[in-house]
Amino acid sequence: MTSQSEDVKVVVSAEQIQQRMRQMARQISDDYRGRTVAAVGVLEDGFIFMADLVRQLDVPVTCQFIKPEHQELWRGNSQSEEIFFSPEVDVKNQHVLLVQGLIETAVTTEFLVRNMLARGAKTVKVATLLDRGAARRVGLQPDYWGFQIEEGYVFGYGLGAPQLKRNLPYVGTQVGVSIAATPGT
């Protein structure tokens, strides 16, 4: 292990990720049989997951990336949040697979799904490596998910803030933090 991982507790191992990703890819390939998947990766936490996932798919795939940006706005005494994303992706008449590394509240994900459908996507399904369902603020549920995860800060396998430890081949947390992950079905 590298020196950057000495203070890391593994939450989901590299082997668990790869095994679960193969299962997800089989399901996605079966669901999209006969169609092209327009994979849209949400940066920054979804880039490694998407790269590995699309390599496992057994259907034609196109790839695009978007980066959501949140901006808090004050109107009088009320605060709201607006979500912007760039670059604009071409989803018209496409079967979109929106790929994220971690879904928590799902507010951004729900916005992106609605936006892509409004811009002409035939279908939009959501895939995520980690799903923190207990933090959900909207009714959206991912169509494909790798692991349910409890509350707590995780990093590795593309996840991290701002960029440290994103290159780890597993998902981890700081030593002393207790987080559990349950594989999808």
mmCIF file of all heavy atoms in Angstrom, residues 21-39 50-63 97 144:
data_model
loop_
_atom_site.group_PDB
_atom_site.id
_atom_site.type_symbol
_atom_site.label_atom_id
_atom_site.label_comp_id
_atom_site.label_asym_id
_atom_site.label_seq_id
_atom_site.Cartn_x
_atom_site.Cartn_y
_atom_site.Cartn_z
ATOM 1 N N MET A 21 -19.515 -4.729 -10.048
ATOM 2 C CA MET A 21 -19.609 -4.030 -11.331
ATOM 3 C C MET A 21 -19.892 -5.010 -12.463
ATOM 4 O O MET A 21 -20.676 -4.701 -13.362
ATOM 5 C CB MET A 21 -18.334 -3.254 -11.618
ATOM 6 C CG MET A 21 -18.519 -2.320 -12.779
ATOM 7 S SD MET A 21 -17.203 -1.168 -13.016
ATOM 8 C CE MET A 21 -16.454 -1.032 -11.448
ATOM 9 N N ARG A 22 -19.296 -6.182 -12.437
ATOM 10 C CA ARG A 22 -19.586 -7.189 -13.459
ATOM 11 C C ARG A 22 -21.061 -7.584 -13.415
ATOM 12 O O ARG A 22 -21.703 -7.740 -14.459
ATOM 13 C CB ARG A 22 -18.689 -8.417 -13.279
ATOM 14 C CG ARG A 22 -17.257 -8.201 -13.758
ATOM 15 C CD ARG A 22 -16.456 -9.482 -13.784
ATOM 16 N NE ARG A 22 -16.281 -10.092 -12.468
ATOM 17 C CZ ARG A 22 -15.322 -9.775 -11.605
ATOM 18 N NH1 ARG A 22 -14.435 -8.840 -11.916
ATOM 19 N NH2 ARG A 22 -15.239 -10.392 -10.437
ATOM 20 N N GLN A 23 -21.619 -7.742 -12.218
ATOM 21 C CA GLN A 23 -23.036 -8.071 -12.070
ATOM 22 C C GLN A 23 -23.916 -6.949 -12.623
ATOM 23 O O GLN A 23 -24.882 -7.207 -13.351
ATOM 24 C CB GLN A 23 -23.381 -8.323 -10.595
ATOM 25 C CG GLN A 23 -22.711 -9.532 -10.003
ATOM 26 C CD GLN A 23 -22.826 -9.579 -8.484
ATOM 27 O OE1 GLN A 23 -23.173 -8.590 -7.823
ATOM 28 N NE2 GLN A 23 -22.521 -10.742 -7.916
ATOM 29 N N MET A 24 -23.584 -5.710 -12.265
ATOM 30 C CA MET A 24 -24.352 -4.568 -12.765
ATOM 31 C C MET A 24 -24.272 -4.481 -14.287
ATOM 32 O O MET A 24 -25.274 -4.226 -14.957
ATOM 33 C CB MET A 24 -23.837 -3.264 -12.144
ATOM 34 C CG MET A 24 -24.128 -3.126 -10.670
ATOM 35 S SD MET A 24 -23.318 -1.674 -9.954
ATOM 36 C CE MET A 24 -24.130 -0.345 -10.815
ATOM 37 N N ALA A 25 -23.084 -4.683 -14.842
ATOM 38 C CA ALA A 25 -22.888 -4.586 -16.290
ATOM 39 C C ALA A 25 -23.710 -5.643 -17.023
ATOM 40 O O ALA A 25 -24.280 -5.360 -18.086
ATOM 41 C CB ALA A 25 -21.409 -4.714 -16.636
ATOM 42 N N ARG A 26 -23.795 -6.852 -16.469
ATOM 43 C CA ARG A 26 -24.631 -7.887 -17.098
ATOM 44 C C ARG A 26 -26.092 -7.445 -17.109
ATOM 45 O O ARG A 26 -26.790 -7.583 -18.113
ATOM 46 C CB ARG A 26 -24.484 -9.219 -16.354
ATOM 47 C CG ARG A 26 -23.269 -10.022 -16.770
ATOM 48 C CD ARG A 26 -23.318 -11.450 -16.276
ATOM 49 N NE ARG A 26 -23.353 -11.566 -14.818
ATOM 50 C CZ ARG A 26 -22.289 -11.596 -14.028
ATOM 51 N NH1 ARG A 26 -21.083 -11.500 -14.560
ATOM 52 N NH2 ARG A 26 -22.417 -11.722 -12.725
ATOM 53 N N GLN A 27 -26.562 -6.903 -15.987
ATOM 54 C CA GLN A 27 -27.950 -6.455 -15.900
ATOM 55 C C GLN A 27 -28.212 -5.293 -16.864
ATOM 56 O O GLN A 27 -29.211 -5.282 -17.583
ATOM 57 C CB GLN A 27 -28.295 -6.041 -14.466
ATOM 58 C CG GLN A 27 -29.737 -5.626 -14.299
ATOM 59 C CD GLN A 27 -30.064 -5.181 -12.880
ATOM 60 O OE1 GLN A 27 -29.219 -5.165 -11.986
ATOM 61 N NE2 GLN A 27 -31.310 -4.797 -12.662
ATOM 62 N N ILE A 28 -27.311 -4.319 -16.886
ATOM 63 C CA ILE A 28 -27.469 -3.166 -17.783
ATOM 64 C C ILE A 28 -27.442 -3.634 -19.237
ATOM 65 O O ILE A 28 -28.272 -3.220 -20.050
ATOM 66 C CB ILE A 28 -26.386 -2.101 -17.503
ATOM 67 C CG1 ILE A 28 -26.603 -1.476 -16.118
ATOM 68 C CG2 ILE A 28 -26.376 -1.029 -18.599
ATOM 69 C CD1 ILE A 28 -25.430 -0.655 -15.610
ATOM 70 N N SER A 29 -26.506 -4.505 -19.589
ATOM 71 C CA SER A 29 -26.420 -5.019 -20.960
ATOM 72 C C SER A 29 -27.695 -5.743 -21.348
ATOM 73 O O SER A 29 -28.205 -5.574 -22.463
ATOM 74 C CB SER A 29 -25.217 -5.960 -21.101
ATOM 75 O OG SER A 29 -24.006 -5.249 -20.939
ATOM 76 N N ASP A 30 -28.250 -6.539 -20.440
ATOM 77 C CA ASP A 30 -29.514 -7.226 -20.719
ATOM 78 C C ASP A 30 -30.651 -6.223 -20.924
ATOM 79 O O ASP A 30 -31.458 -6.363 -21.838
ATOM 80 C CB ASP A 30 -29.877 -8.189 -19.581
ATOM 81 C CG ASP A 30 -29.001 -9.431 -19.563
ATOM 82 O OD1 ASP A 30 -28.281 -9.705 -20.548
ATOM 83 O OD2 ASP A 30 -29.024 -10.132 -18.519
ATOM 84 N N ASP A 31 -30.704 -5.197 -20.059
ATOM 85 C CA ASP A 31 -31.770 -4.197 -20.143
ATOM 86 C C ASP A 31 -31.683 -3.343 -21.408
ATOM 87 O O ASP A 31 -32.703 -2.871 -21.908
ATOM 88 C CB ASP A 31 -31.756 -3.288 -18.915
ATOM 89 C CG ASP A 31 -32.173 -4.005 -17.645
ATOM 90 O OD1 ASP A 31 -32.638 -5.168 -17.714
ATOM 91 O OD2 ASP A 31 -32.022 -3.407 -16.556
ATOM 92 N N TYR A 32 -30.477 -3.129 -21.935
ATOM 93 C CA TYR A 32 -30.283 -2.280 -23.110
ATOM 94 C C TYR A 32 -30.039 -3.085 -24.387
ATOM 95 O O TYR A 32 -29.680 -2.513 -25.412
ATOM 96 C CB TYR A 32 -29.115 -1.309 -22.888
ATOM 97 C CG TYR A 32 -29.458 -0.134 -22.007
ATOM 98 C CD1 TYR A 32 -29.285 -0.201 -20.623
ATOM 99 C CD2 TYR A 32 -29.953 1.046 -22.553
ATOM 100 C CE1 TYR A 32 -29.596 0.878 -19.813
ATOM 101 C CE2 TYR A 32 -30.265 2.131 -21.751
ATOM 102 C CZ TYR A 32 -30.081 2.036 -20.380
ATOM 103 O OH TYR A 32 -30.387 3.108 -19.580
ATOM 104 N N ARG A 33 -30.220 -4.401 -24.344
ATOM 105 C CA ARG A 33 -29.966 -5.249 -25.512
ATOM 106 C C ARG A 33 -30.674 -4.673 -26.736
ATOM 107 O O ARG A 33 -31.839 -4.304 -26.681
ATOM 108 C CB ARG A 33 -30.456 -6.667 -25.224
ATOM 109 C CG ARG A 33 -30.072 -7.682 -26.222
ATOM 110 C CD ARG A 33 -28.634 -8.134 -26.196
ATOM 111 N NE ARG A 33 -28.203 -8.597 -24.872
ATOM 112 C CZ ARG A 33 -26.962 -8.427 -24.411
ATOM 113 N NH1 ARG A 33 -26.057 -7.820 -25.164
ATOM 114 N NH2 ARG A 33 -26.618 -8.850 -23.231
ATOM 115 N N GLY A 34 -29.925 -4.550 -27.845
ATOM 116 C CA GLY A 34 -30.494 -4.030 -29.089
ATOM 117 C C GLY A 34 -30.506 -2.514 -29.182
ATOM 118 O O GLY A 34 -30.983 -1.966 -30.173
ATOM 119 N N ARG A 35 -30.009 -1.838 -28.166
ATOM 120 C CA ARG A 35 -29.982 -0.368 -28.164
ATOM 121 C C ARG A 35 -28.570 0.114 -27.824
ATOM 122 O O ARG A 35 -27.785 -0.625 -27.257
ATOM 123 C CB ARG A 35 -30.954 0.195 -27.134
ATOM 124 C CG ARG A 35 -32.404 -0.157 -27.426
ATOM 125 C CD ARG A 35 -33.324 0.392 -26.378
ATOM 126 N NE ARG A 35 -33.247 -0.482 -25.204
ATOM 127 C CZ ARG A 35 -33.860 -0.259 -24.058
ATOM 128 N NH1 ARG A 35 -34.588 0.823 -23.892
ATOM 129 N NH2 ARG A 35 -33.758 -1.094 -23.060
ATOM 130 N N THR A 36 -28.303 1.351 -28.144
ATOM 131 C CA THR A 36 -27.046 1.989 -27.763
ATOM 132 C C THR A 36 -27.257 2.726 -26.447
ATOM 133 O O THR A 36 -28.250 3.435 -26.282
ATOM 134 C CB THR A 36 -26.589 2.988 -28.845
ATOM 135 O OG1 THR A 36 -26.352 2.264 -30.057
ATOM 136 C CG2 THR A 36 -25.328 3.727 -28.440
ATOM 137 N N VAL A 37 -26.327 2.545 -25.538
ATOM 138 C CA VAL A 37 -26.363 3.244 -24.254
ATOM 139 C C VAL A 37 -25.607 4.558 -24.403
ATOM 140 O O VAL A 37 -24.450 4.566 -24.824
ATOM 141 C CB VAL A 37 -25.688 2.403 -23.140
ATOM 142 C CG1 VAL A 37 -25.608 3.191 -21.844
ATOM 143 C CG2 VAL A 37 -26.404 1.091 -22.934
ATOM 144 N N ALA A 38 -26.263 5.646 -24.054
ATOM 145 C CA ALA A 38 -25.598 6.956 -24.004
ATOM 146 C C ALA A 38 -25.223 7.195 -22.545
ATOM 147 O O ALA A 38 -26.013 7.718 -21.764
ATOM 148 C CB ALA A 38 -26.516 8.046 -24.523
ATOM 149 N N ALA A 39 -24.031 6.763 -22.168
ATOM 150 C CA ALA A 39 -23.575 6.915 -20.787
ATOM 151 C C ALA A 39 -23.171 8.368 -20.557
ATOM 152 O O ALA A 39 -22.383 8.931 -21.315
ATOM 153 C CB ALA A 39 -22.407 5.981 -20.496
ATOM 154 N N MET A 50 -17.532 5.076 -14.019
ATOM 155 C CA MET A 50 -18.077 5.014 -15.377
ATOM 156 C C MET A 50 -17.094 4.354 -16.333
ATOM 157 O O MET A 50 -17.494 3.510 -17.152
ATOM 158 C CB MET A 50 -18.438 6.398 -15.889
ATOM 159 C CG MET A 50 -19.045 6.348 -17.285
ATOM 160 S SD MET A 50 -19.717 7.940 -17.760
ATOM 161 C CE MET A 50 -19.368 7.955 -19.494
ATOM 162 N N ALA A 51 -15.818 4.707 -16.250
ATOM 163 C CA ALA A 51 -14.824 4.112 -17.148
ATOM 164 C C ALA A 51 -14.791 2.599 -17.000
ATOM 165 O O ALA A 51 -14.803 1.856 -17.990
ATOM 166 C CB ALA A 51 -13.446 4.712 -16.880
ATOM 167 N N ASP A 52 -14.772 2.118 -15.770
ATOM 168 C CA ASP A 52 -14.744 0.677 -15.543
ATOM 169 C C ASP A 52 -16.056 0.016 -15.936
ATOM 170 O O ASP A 52 -16.067 -1.083 -16.491
ATOM 171 C CB ASP A 52 -14.426 0.375 -14.077
ATOM 172 C CG ASP A 52 -12.964 0.622 -13.733
ATOM 173 O OD1 ASP A 52 -12.150 0.851 -14.655
ATOM 174 O OD2 ASP A 52 -12.632 0.568 -12.536
ATOM 175 N N LEU A 53 -17.180 0.666 -15.654
ATOM 176 C CA LEU A 53 -18.488 0.088 -15.965
ATOM 177 C C LEU A 53 -18.700 -0.058 -17.469
ATOM 178 O O LEU A 53 -19.112 -1.121 -17.947
ATOM 179 C CB LEU A 53 -19.612 0.939 -15.354
ATOM 180 C CG LEU A 53 -21.036 0.435 -15.570
ATOM 181 C CD1 LEU A 53 -21.248 -0.913 -14.880
ATOM 182 C CD2 LEU A 53 -22.042 1.459 -15.060
ATOM 183 N N VAL A 54 -18.423 0.991 -18.250
ATOM 184 C CA VAL A 54 -18.700 0.914 -19.690
ATOM 185 C C VAL A 54 -17.807 -0.109 -20.377
ATOM 186 O O VAL A 54 -18.210 -0.700 -21.382
ATOM 187 C CB VAL A 54 -18.641 2.295 -20.401
ATOM 188 C CG1 VAL A 54 -19.682 3.243 -19.829
ATOM 189 C CG2 VAL A 54 -17.256 2.889 -20.382
ATOM 190 N N ARG A 55 -16.622 -0.360 -19.845
ATOM 191 C CA ARG A 55 -15.753 -1.393 -20.421
ATOM 192 C C ARG A 55 -16.343 -2.786 -20.237
ATOM 193 O O ARG A 55 -16.014 -3.701 -20.984
ATOM 194 C CB ARG A 55 -14.357 -1.333 -19.801
ATOM 195 C CG ARG A 55 -13.515 -0.212 -20.354
ATOM 196 C CD ARG A 55 -12.060 -0.386 -19.980
ATOM 197 N NE ARG A 55 -11.847 -0.276 -18.554
ATOM 198 C CZ ARG A 55 -11.308 0.765 -17.940
ATOM 199 N NH1 ARG A 55 -10.916 1.803 -18.643
ATOM 200 N NH2 ARG A 55 -11.142 0.781 -16.644
ATOM 201 N N GLN A 56 -17.223 -2.942 -19.257
ATOM 202 C CA GLN A 56 -17.846 -4.234 -18.982
ATOM 203 C C GLN A 56 -19.150 -4.440 -19.760
ATOM 204 O O GLN A 56 -19.670 -5.547 -19.788
ATOM 205 C CB GLN A 56 -18.155 -4.358 -17.479
ATOM 206 C CG GLN A 56 -16.954 -4.316 -16.581
ATOM 207 C CD GLN A 56 -16.181 -5.619 -16.601
ATOM 208 O OE1 GLN A 56 -16.733 -6.688 -16.815
ATOM 209 N NE2 GLN A 56 -14.881 -5.527 -16.389
ATOM 210 N N LEU A 57 -19.696 -3.386 -20.353
ATOM 211 C CA LEU A 57 -20.978 -3.495 -21.046
ATOM 212 C C LEU A 57 -20.826 -4.245 -22.368
ATOM 213 O O LEU A 57 -19.830 -4.077 -23.076
ATOM 214 C CB LEU A 57 -21.590 -2.116 -21.288
ATOM 215 C CG LEU A 57 -21.984 -1.333 -20.039
ATOM 216 C CD1 LEU A 57 -22.528 0.038 -20.421
ATOM 217 C CD2 LEU A 57 -22.977 -2.103 -19.191
ATOM 218 N N ASP A 58 -21.838 -5.039 -22.693
ATOM 219 C CA ASP A 58 -21.845 -5.839 -23.909
ATOM 220 C C ASP A 58 -22.863 -5.290 -24.904
ATOM 221 O O ASP A 58 -23.577 -6.042 -25.562
ATOM 222 C CB ASP A 58 -22.166 -7.296 -23.549
ATOM 223 C CG ASP A 58 -21.967 -8.238 -24.706
ATOM 224 O OD1 ASP A 58 -21.154 -7.945 -25.598
ATOM 225 O OD2 ASP A 58 -22.666 -9.281 -24.736
ATOM 226 N N VAL A 59 -22.989 -3.965 -24.967
ATOM 227 C CA VAL A 59 -23.855 -3.260 -25.907
ATOM 228 C C VAL A 59 -23.085 -2.034 -26.396
ATOM 229 O O VAL A 59 -22.131 -1.606 -25.748
ATOM 230 C CB VAL A 59 -25.195 -2.823 -25.248
ATOM 231 C CG1 VAL A 59 -26.058 -4.030 -24.906
ATOM 232 C CG2 VAL A 59 -24.959 -1.961 -24.024
ATOM 233 N N PRO A 60 -23.489 -1.446 -27.532
ATOM 234 C CA PRO A 60 -22.813 -0.226 -27.989
ATOM 235 C C PRO A 60 -22.985 0.908 -26.967
ATOM 236 O O PRO A 60 -24.061 1.055 -26.373
ATOM 237 C CB PRO A 60 -23.519 0.117 -29.295
ATOM 238 C CG PRO A 60 -24.222 -1.132 -29.722
ATOM 239 C CD PRO A 60 -24.522 -1.893 -28.469
ATOM 240 N N VAL A 61 -21.914 1.685 -26.767
ATOM 241 C CA VAL A 61 -21.918 2.751 -25.756
ATOM 242 C C VAL A 61 -21.296 4.016 -26.326
ATOM 243 O O VAL A 61 -20.270 3.954 -27.002
ATOM 244 C CB VAL A 61 -21.099 2.336 -24.507
ATOM 245 C CG1 VAL A 61 -21.091 3.444 -23.470
ATOM 246 C CG2 VAL A 61 -21.608 1.044 -23.913
ATOM 247 N N THR A 62 -21.934 5.165 -26.041
ATOM 248 C CA THR A 62 -21.300 6.458 -26.253
ATOM 249 C C THR A 62 -21.082 7.069 -24.871
ATOM 250 O O THR A 62 -21.791 6.722 -23.923
ATOM 251 C CB THR A 62 -22.165 7.409 -27.105
ATOM 252 O OG1 THR A 62 -23.389 7.675 -26.411
ATOM 253 C CG2 THR A 62 -22.459 6.804 -28.468
ATOM 254 N N CYS A 63 -20.107 7.931 -24.745
ATOM 255 C CA CYS A 63 -19.776 8.510 -23.431
ATOM 256 C C CYS A 63 -19.721 10.033 -23.504
ATOM 257 O O CYS A 63 -19.142 10.589 -24.435
ATOM 258 C CB CYS A 63 -18.425 8.001 -22.940
ATOM 259 S SG CYS A 63 -18.367 6.225 -22.678
ATOM 260 N N LEU A 97 -27.886 6.490 -19.718
ATOM 261 C CA LEU A 97 -27.515 5.892 -18.446
ATOM 262 C C LEU A 97 -26.704 6.953 -17.707
ATOM 263 O O LEU A 97 -25.570 7.245 -18.082
ATOM 264 C CB LEU A 97 -26.690 4.625 -18.642
ATOM 265 C CG LEU A 97 -26.235 3.935 -17.362
ATOM 266 C CD1 LEU A 97 -27.439 3.414 -16.569
ATOM 267 C CD2 LEU A 97 -25.265 2.799 -17.672
ATOM 268 N N TYR A 144 -29.687 1.055 -10.936
ATOM 269 C CA TYR A 144 -28.573 0.132 -10.718
ATOM 270 C C TYR A 144 -27.686 0.732 -9.640
ATOM 271 O O TYR A 144 -27.319 1.902 -9.725
ATOM 272 C CB TYR A 144 -27.754 -0.040 -12.004
ATOM 273 C CG TYR A 144 -28.595 -0.302 -13.231
ATOM 274 C CD1 TYR A 144 -28.894 0.735 -14.121
ATOM 275 C CD2 TYR A 144 -29.096 -1.568 -13.492
ATOM 276 C CE1 TYR A 144 -29.661 0.502 -15.251
ATOM 277 C CE2 TYR A 144 -29.874 -1.805 -14.628
ATOM 278 C CZ TYR A 144 -30.155 -0.765 -15.491
ATOM 279 O OH TYR A 144 -30.922 -0.999 -16.602
#
